[in-house]
Amino acid sequence: MRPATGRTADALAAYERMRGRLADDLGLDPSPTTQGVQHEILTGGLVARTPRQSERSRTNLRTALTSFVGREDAVAEVSALLTVQRLVTLVGPGGAGKTRLAVETAARLSSSYPDGIWKVELAAVTAPADILDAMVGALDLREVVVLDRGAEQRVDDRTRVVDALSGRRVLLVADNCEHLVADVAAVTEELLQALPDLRVVATSREPLGVLGEAVFQVAPLDVPVDATPTPDEALEHSAVDLFVQRARAAAPAFVLDDTSVPSVLEICRRLDGQPLALELAAARLRTLTAAQVAARLGDRFRLLTGGSRTALPRHRTLRAVVEWSWDLLDEDERLLADRVAVFPAGISVPAAAAIAGVDEAAALDLLTALADKSLLVPMADGLGEPRFRMLETLREYGADRLVERGEADAVRRAHLAYYRSLVHDRAPQLHRQEQLEALAVLDDERGNVLAALAYAIDVRDGASAAWITTDLAWYFSLRGQAARVLAMDVPLPPTPELVCLVMRFVGLLDQPDERVDGGALVGRIATLREDPRFDQRAPTVTVILAATDLFSSGDEEPG
């Protein structure tokens, strides 16, 4: 029996109740050891163990087993935030390295918190009522034994935590808050109000939403932009450095050289510089080469499964990491997250409204919620409007979900319809005073438009493929895309077919191809011009016809 901090009277009262029960129920006296404890309490020989008075109990942070790579600046930023804010929440997707950054920062701040730094593990906590109990356990306050189970008033967990930390400069690391975010927020706010010297670093996939909270977005590790860096140049980037260090641990013979650099860069880029995914990929080098790992990333959820046996279950495989994030969404958020997977170049609010079947206000709310939960990265488009991007690994998971539910084709057709309409509406603006706005929109949407075009070609939707190519003819050169459309060998509407043929013909002038009959192209163009369905008023067609007429007249011999 030991007294809680500052609760000597309660400990002595508990002893007297225990002694009475032993005598009444069993006819026994307390053991000599227990009587000795009572004597020490009475004489002041037994002092309550507190965070301030015990060197051993000033932290429960564990020594890291691997090197800390690439986030020295982040440690400095979080440390600086803690000097001005009492609650700092590190947010990011699963596997971003939030816990490691929080622990590393806390460990380096030990001199700033002389009364202790404790990590509170919340991953296994499933009930809101157990949050404070987890804190009691982390602070090692469970050694207070109340022997009288019939006591009318027991010390609740909140009082126990507040009593133990009152008047002390302490840092708590609340780890993995996302599944109980509202309840953790309430407990954290209450403790911060009761303990003015307390500081808290939380990790979560979304902010706690407490007044005065500083939110720190944990960014991916740095990935090289240069397509062909040397091995030494590549190692200057933290994503490559982490992968190589973990790869050498898994396969000591691994060497980053001119042969392996391209594959390592592809792995780092396609895994978005996310630490856990890179570590799982590096572990595969026990049995595969870097090139083989890179080639298998199309099936990354089956490939990246070799996590630590001692890690949380949701951190042992890449699929488990992402599934945990999806499980935290409500039905509407989950539906949109799945559909965003078909947007490789990010998604605008109007596009989200169209693909989800809601108005733009509701679409913005859903996109914001997904960004708050670290499934989307918010940014601004070329016109300063909100736009959101999903990491490739998350898109792969969403695409898999669409396939599993048999919805992939319907969503991609909706995506195609949206972008066919968008480019058709924007094409005339390229020839008017709205040109700059149209260019900004098409710059942002280029990747999505090309994905829509590729899908149209794959499903042999000739009309959509040809019209997209036609409407984009004056935005950028799509000669290669025009050739793909014409190679489909399916009937095309006459107007876009003519545009594709002209673009193909111009491409031949620039890069001759003996396999293509230029004369046949010219003949087909002439035939299409006579087709009654041919729209000579389309903006792109108007310019093309003028140019071809001028070209034709220039070929005429003077009479």
Side-chain angles (χ1 to χ4, degrees):
M1 178 183 67
R2 294 181 183 270
T5 305
R7 303 182 63 88
T8 300
D10 289 342
L12 291 172
Y15 173 84
E16 288 301 323
R17 288 193 293 271
M18 176 204 67
R19 186 181 62 80
R21 285 200 169 186
L22 284 174
D24 294 342
D25 296 344
L26 302 174
L28 298 175
D29 291 325
S31 69
T33 301
T34 304
Q35 293 180 45
V37 170
Q38 184 219 20
H39 178 73
E40 289 189 47
I41 294 173
L42 287 169
T43 60
L46 182 63
V47 181
R49 184 162 68 86
T50 69
R52 181 188 296 277
Q53 294 163 326
S54 173
E55 287 291 335
R56 182 179 61 82
S57 66
R58 284 186 181 176
T59 187
N60 66 348
L61 298 181
R62 298 178 181 178
T63 302
L65 301 180
T66 56
S67 57
F68 182 71
V69 178
R71 287 193 166 143
E72 296 298 330
D73 289 345
V75 170
E77 290 182 51
V78 175
S79 299
L81 283 173
L82 282 168
T83 65
V84 293
Q85 303 292 146
R86 297 179 59 211
L87 168 62
V88 177
T89 302
L90 311 185
V91 298
K98 301 182 294 294
T99 297
R100 184 65 187 273
L101 175 58
V103 171
E104 191 71 23
T105 302
R108 299 187 190 187
L109 292 175
S110 58
S111 62
S112 299
Y113 297 93
D115 297 317
I117 298 175
W118 284 272
K119 181 184 176 188
V120 182
E121 300 272 8
L122 296 175
V125 176
T126 57
D130 293 334
I131 294 171
L132 278 166
D133 182 67
M135 291 185 176
V136 168
L139 294 166
D140 198 16
L141 300 178
R142 288 204 180 101
E143 69 175 46
V144 179
V145 179
V146 179
L147 296 175
D148 181 9
R149 301 186 181 219
E152 294 183 1
Q153 292 188 353
R154 296 182 183 176
V155 180
D156 60 68
D157 288 337
R158 178 196 176 280
T159 301
R160 190 174 297 177
V161 171
V162 170
D163 283 352
L165 302 183
S166 181
R168 310 190 188 284
R169 187 168 177 79
V170 167
L171 175 64
L172 292 183
V173 178
D175 193 30
N176 291 300
C177 302
E178 55 270 354
H179 58 301
L180 295 169
V181 64
D183 302 291
V184 174
V187 170
T188 302
E189 182 177 60
E190 190 173 4
L191 291 178
L192 289 171
Q193 289 172 342
L195 300 165
D197 293 320
L198 175 66
R199 296 289 188 275
V200 177
V201 173
T203 72
S204 178
R205 301 190 189 187
E206 63 178 304
L208 299 190
V210 174
L211 187 65
E213 174 187 32
V215 178
F216 182 86
Q217 183 72 46
V218 179
L221 294 176
D222 178 36
V223 178
V225 176
D226 184 2
T228 56
T230 66
D232 288 342
E233 291 171 341
L235 278 172
E236 294 177 1
H237 298 270
S238 54
V240 177
D241 189 11
L242 176 70
F243 180 84
V244 170
Q245 289 194 36
R246 303 300 186 259
R248 287 172 177 165
F254 174 76
V255 176
L256 184 69
D257 53 22
D258 291 337
T259 301
S260 60
V261 159
S263 297
V264 171
L265 293 182
E266 182 180 356
I267 292 168
C268 293
R269 288 167 181 158
R270 293 189 62 190
L271 295 179
D272 306 300
Q274 295 297 312
L276 179 61
L278 292 174
E279 291 180 339
L280 292 173
R284 278 295 186 179
L285 266 64
R286 296 188 186 99
T287 55
L288 300 173
T289 66
Q292 290 168 337
V293 171
R296 287 166 168 77
L297 287 180
D299 194 13
R300 66 189 65 193
F301 294 113
R302 293 182 64 184
L303 176 70
L304 304 182
T305 58
S308 169
R309 289 189 177 93
T310 61
L312 293 170
R314 62 173 180 264
H315 281 174
R316 293 176 190 168
T317 71
L318 188 62
R319 176 174 289 277
V321 170
V322 180
E323 280 179 345
W324 174 255
S325 295
W326 246 257
D327 289 344
L328 298 175
L329 304 177
D330 65 32
E331 188 58 35
D332 290 338
E333 293 167 350
R334 197 175 294 119
L335 177 70
L336 181 57
D338 291 344
R339 295 180 179 185
V340 172
V342 304
F343 290 77
I347 189 168
S348 65
V349 175
I355 205 75
V358 298
D359 60 36
E360 291 192 15
L364 179 58
D365 288 342
L366 287 171
L367 290 169
T368 301
L370 292 175
D372 285 344
K373 295 177 180 178
S374 302
L375 289 177
L376 295 178
V377 179
M379 62 186 70
D381 65 17
L383 299 176
E385 295 296 319
R387 189 173 183 84
F388 300 82
R389 178 176 65 88
M390 182 176 277
L391 299 180
E392 182 176 338
T393 293
L394 300 179
R395 287 200 304 107
E396 290 278 353
Y397 181 77
D400 285 352
R401 281 176 52 87
L402 291 175
V403 171
E404 290 167 3
R405 298 201 311 274
E407 298 177 6
D409 191 60
V411 172
R412 291 191 181 279
R413 285 191 180 278
H415 176 271
L416 170 60
Y418 176 80
Y419 283 105
R420 176 176 170 176
S421 174
L422 180 141
V423 297
H424 190 68
D425 292 343
R426 292 292 181 176
Q429 296 176 358
L430 293 172
H431 306 275
R432 302 200 298 256
Q433 63 182 3
E434 305 99 333
Q435 183 186 74
L436 292 179
E437 178 182 333
L439 285 171
V441 171
L442 292 173
D443 284 344
D444 288 327
E445 299 290 4
R446 174 173 176 158
N448 289 324
V449 172
L450 291 179
L453 177 60
Y455 176 74
I457 293 172
D458 288 344
V459 297
R460 301 180 64 76
D461 182 350
S464 293
W467 274 117
I468 289 175
T469 304
T470 298
D471 289 328
L472 287 176
W474 294 104
Y475 169 63
F476 56 8
S477 173
L478 282 177
R479 289 192 289 267
Q481 300 298 342
R484 290 182 66 197
V485 172
L486 295 171
M488 293 170 62
D489 192 27
V490 296
L492 301 176
T495 304
E497 183 185 354
L498 181 143
V499 175
C500 291
L501 287 168
V502 171
M503 293 169 65
R504 185 70 176 117
F505 182 71
V506 172
L508 290 176
L509 296 178
D510 187 40
Q511 295 179 339
D513 187 341
E514 295 179 356
R515 296 169 298 178
V516 179
D517 185 349
L521 290 179
V522 173
R524 180 59 179 164
I525 291 171
T527 300
L528 290 171
R529 290 189 63 170
E530 303 302 323
D531 192 308
R533 298 170 297 163
F534 179 62
D535 183 5
Q536 299 192 34
R537 295 171 297 176
T540 300
V541 171
T542 301
V543 178
I544 287 177
L545 292 181
T548 53
D549 287 343
L550 180 63
F551 180 79
S552 298
S553 62
D555 284 345
E556 294 178 1
E557 295 185 8

